[in-house]
Amino acid sequence: MKKAYVYIAAIVIVVIGVTLLLLYLSKDDTSSSNPNDLSNLVESKPLPIPPLLEDVNPDPNLAEFHLTAQHGVTEILDGIESETLGYNGNILGPVIKVHEGDRVKVVMKNDLREATTLHWHGLRVDGENDGGPHSGINPGETWEPEFTIEQPAATLWYHPHMMHATAKQVYEGLAGLFIIEDAVSDSLPIPKDYGVNDFPIIIQDKQLDASGNMQYDPGMNDMMMGLYGNAYLVNGAISPYLEVPKGMVRLRLLNGSNGRTYHFELHNGQEFYQIASDGGFLEKPVEMTSLTLSPAERAEILVDFSAFETGDEITLIDTVSELGKTISEDEVEVMKFTVTDTESEAYPIPEQLTEIDNIDPADAVVTREMVMAGVGSTLTINDKSMDMGVIDEVVNLNDTEIWEVSNKRTGVQGGMAHPFHLHGVQFQVIDRDGNPPPANETGWKDTILVEPGETVRIITTFNYKGIFMYHCHILEHEDAGMMGQYEVK
Ligand code: C2O
Ligand code: CU
Ligand code: CU
């Protein structure tokens, strides 16, 4: 039966004469005509919930967390073990949860066979503690950053940032969530029971080879466009299901993928509410039926499961529309929610979540242009490729600046979108091509997707000293040099 499909597929391909297509079928495709169809090995497992990392320091004024980057083994498909990397485990890392005002110390041990760094994505800290490419940790060594949490409640994350090795290390499993709580999140009547009605959801696509092994082996197309995998993992598991109470559930979504931008929907078209963006709560919940999340972006959403019957299944799907990146179905199932008979507290959608002071563009002392351009290995920002020895921009401490980030339409197929990320700050979006940003981009952000030909203006105040990166968060682009450095002094 399967053989017949293969022959039909092969004949069709030859007739059409699309050689590229053949390449995709052997590497990137998961459809039924794929000779490497491994879907019979996909067994839906319960969604793994990363543990909360314990504060090991008895001193109430200092939270201390220990992380070890290590080698591991993960069974993604039934019976097939892949070599992966994890923090304190086989794949991904525990969730670090802190509170605004906390003094935090982290002891990070590198048990890998290669150098790595530990970057706090979205955290407002000085350059020394940021964990960028200058903070390499050699095998067997330890790095001990220390900082105070001086920003509102948010879902941030941590991952390696080694020059030319970030894509591989994140892909192989090094990533974890870093959650900040504050007085606002403490008092809001929203789900906040970790693992009960408040769930971490880390979505990553991986490339499984013909034998079902997850390996970082990017092809030319992956290097140019960012890696697009043929399997979606959530918290390190393929096609998992999550049992949810009949009630309101909070999902902390992180796109931890190397290259793929998702367009999430619930398969039944049900609406949900975004309550937080990268850097914390939005002022008001934003009702939506579709959410776009580019690499490194986060969104906290509320989903109401109270109208369902016990045993009902609701699927989170990605509606794929990017032609030329991968051949796939219109919709891909990411994970399932299975409604249990637990009636949970009725949480109405709050009217107001927080208050955000908008930074006045008139306060900006400078407008800096950031032009993203090029294709493949010649991807640049302001016509430059990352050089560890060069500081590209110098910012005065406590200055407010506007960064005008544009995406020059170059390369193939009219160009591609790039998620622009800035270290050490959270910023606000002034406008997209002169138009006000959509409602879910009116809060704090640290990563912003810039479409081909588009110009996005962002504004922030630089309150921390040191050397920081700005870059495209498609990790293959970042590693290829689509990154620059700014120094605050
Ligand atoms: Cu998610 Cu430069 O980082
Ligand atoms: Cu970052
Ligand atoms: Cu890019």
Side-chain angles (χ1 to χ4, degrees), residues 51-69 87-88 93-110 118 120 123 137 142-149 158 177-181:
L52 287 172
L53 189 57
E54 197 192 333
D55 167 6
V56 294
N57 198 319
D59 179 350
N61 297 312
L62 182 69
E64 182 174 330
F65 300 102
H66 291 185
L67 287 175
T68 301
Y87 296 104
N88 303 0
V95 172
I96 298 178
K97 200 170 186 171
V98 297
H99 199 274
E100 190 180 20
D102 280 358
R103 184 74 189 158
V104 177
K105 176 184 177 180
V106 178
V107 179
M108 157 69 186
K109 169 112 197 292
N110 179 8
L118 182 59
W120 313 105
L123 197 62
I137 314 163
T142 293
W143 183 60
E144 301 189 7
E146 217 181 296
F147 43 80
T148 302
I149 306 298
Y158 59 92
L177 287 189
F178 189 97
I179 295 177
I180 301 176
E181 302 290 2

Side-chain angles (χ1 to χ4, degrees), residues 157-329:
W157 63 303
Y158 59 92
H159 64 76
H161 218 297
M162 205 55 205
M163 197 62 211
H164 306 306
T166 299
K168 176 181 165 286
Q169 292 184 357
V170 173
Y171 177 91
E172 291 183 338
L174 292 178
L177 287 189
F178 189 97
I179 295 177
I180 301 176
E181 302 290 2
D182 68 0
V184 173
S185 70
D186 290 346
S187 65
L188 270 175
I190 54 173
K192 54 183 86 164
D193 229 341
Y194 182 80
V196 176
N197 57 16
D198 176 357
F199 298 101
I201 305 281
I202 303 170
I203 304 113
Q204 301 174 301
D205 60 335
K206 306 289 178 185
Q207 186 69 49
L208 304 184
D209 67 14
S211 55
N213 249 291
M214 177 190 126
Q215 251 182 40
Y216 189 64
D217 181 21
M220 203 176 68
N221 200 58
D222 298 321
M223 294 309 289
M224 281 172 53
M225 315 296 278
L227 183 131
Y228 272 57
N230 55 6
Y232 288 10
L233 267 52
V234 186
N235 297 352
I238 193 166
S239 300
Y241 67 88
L242 174 65
E243 295 194 330
V244 290
K246 264 186 210 122
M248 196 65 82
V249 162
R250 175 183 184 182
L251 305 174
R252 299 175 188 257
L253 305 171
L254 158 67
N255 180 353
S257 308
N258 282 39
R260 186 186 292 271
T261 292
Y262 298 90
H263 306 280
F264 294 120
E265 287 180 23
L266 294 167
H267 83 282
N268 58 348
Q270 186 184 338
E271 69 279 0
F272 48 89
Y273 300 83
Q274 186 174 347
I275 56 169
S277 55
D278 304 333
F281 289 116
L282 298 161
E283 286 206 309
K284 292 177 174 32
V286 178
E287 184 181 341
M288 50 177 62
T289 53
S290 173
L291 169 69
T292 298
L293 221 53
S294 69
E297 283 187 301
R298 284 89 64 211
E300 288 181 35
I301 62 172
L302 295 180
V303 185
D304 187 359
F305 292 108
S306 61
F308 293 98
E309 303 287 327
T310 303
D312 278 356
E313 286 183 340
I314 297 91
T315 309
L316 179 69
I317 57 171
D318 176 29
T319 58
V320 181
S321 56
E322 292 115 334
L323 263 174
K325 307 249 179 82
T326 175
I327 300 159
S328 72
E329 302 104 83

Side-chain angles (χ1 to χ4, degrees), residues 119-123 130 157 159 161 296 421-424 446-447 469 471 473:
H119 167 56
W120 313 105
H121 181 122
L123 197 62
D130 176 69
W157 63 303
H159 64 76
H161 218 297
H421 167 54
L422 192 48
H423 283 213
D446 56 49
T447 306
M469 306 294 130
H471 59 90
H473 219 290

Side-chain angles (χ1 to χ4, degrees), residues 336-352:
K336 254 189 210 110
F337 301 96
T338 308
V339 180
T340 66
D341 57 5
T342 316
E343 308 272 345
S344 85
E345 204 179 320
Y347 292 99
I349 302 291
E351 285 278 312
Q352 177 94 23

Side-chain angles (χ1 to χ4, degrees), residues 418-419 472 474 477 482:
H418 299 280
C472 172
I474 291 176
H477 290 179
M482 199 175 190

